[in-house]
mmCIF file of all heavy atoms in Angstrom:
data_model
loop_
_atom_site.group_PDB
_atom_site.id
_atom_site.type_symbol
_atom_site.label_atom_id
_atom_site.label_comp_id
_atom_site.label_asym_id
_atom_site.label_seq_id
_atom_site.Cartn_x
_atom_site.Cartn_y
_atom_site.Cartn_z
ATOM 1 N N VAL A 188 -10.799 7.526 -20.523
ATOM 2 C CA VAL A 188 -10.796 7.646 -21.969
ATOM 3 C C VAL A 188 -11.344 6.338 -22.679
ATOM 4 O O VAL A 188 -12.193 6.513 -23.533
ATOM 5 C CB VAL A 188 -9.347 7.903 -22.573
ATOM 6 C CG1 VAL A 188 -9.291 7.810 -24.106
ATOM 7 C CG2 VAL A 188 -8.910 9.322 -22.131
ATOM 8 N N THR A 233 -31.491 -13.003 -47.174
ATOM 9 C CA THR A 233 -32.058 -12.754 -45.782
ATOM 10 C C THR A 233 -31.299 -13.508 -44.712
ATOM 11 O O THR A 233 -31.203 -12.941 -43.544
ATOM 12 C CB THR A 233 -33.639 -13.143 -45.853
ATOM 13 O OG1 THR A 233 -34.272 -12.446 -46.836
ATOM 14 C CG2 THR A 233 -34.311 -12.879 -44.587
ATOM 15 N N ALA A 258 -16.027 0.503 -16.438
ATOM 16 C CA ALA A 258 -16.572 1.492 -15.516
ATOM 17 C C ALA A 258 -16.255 1.048 -14.058
ATOM 18 O O ALA A 258 -16.013 1.851 -13.249
ATOM 19 C CB ALA A 258 -18.030 1.630 -15.806
#
Side-chain angles (χ1 to χ4, degrees):
V188 167
T233 304

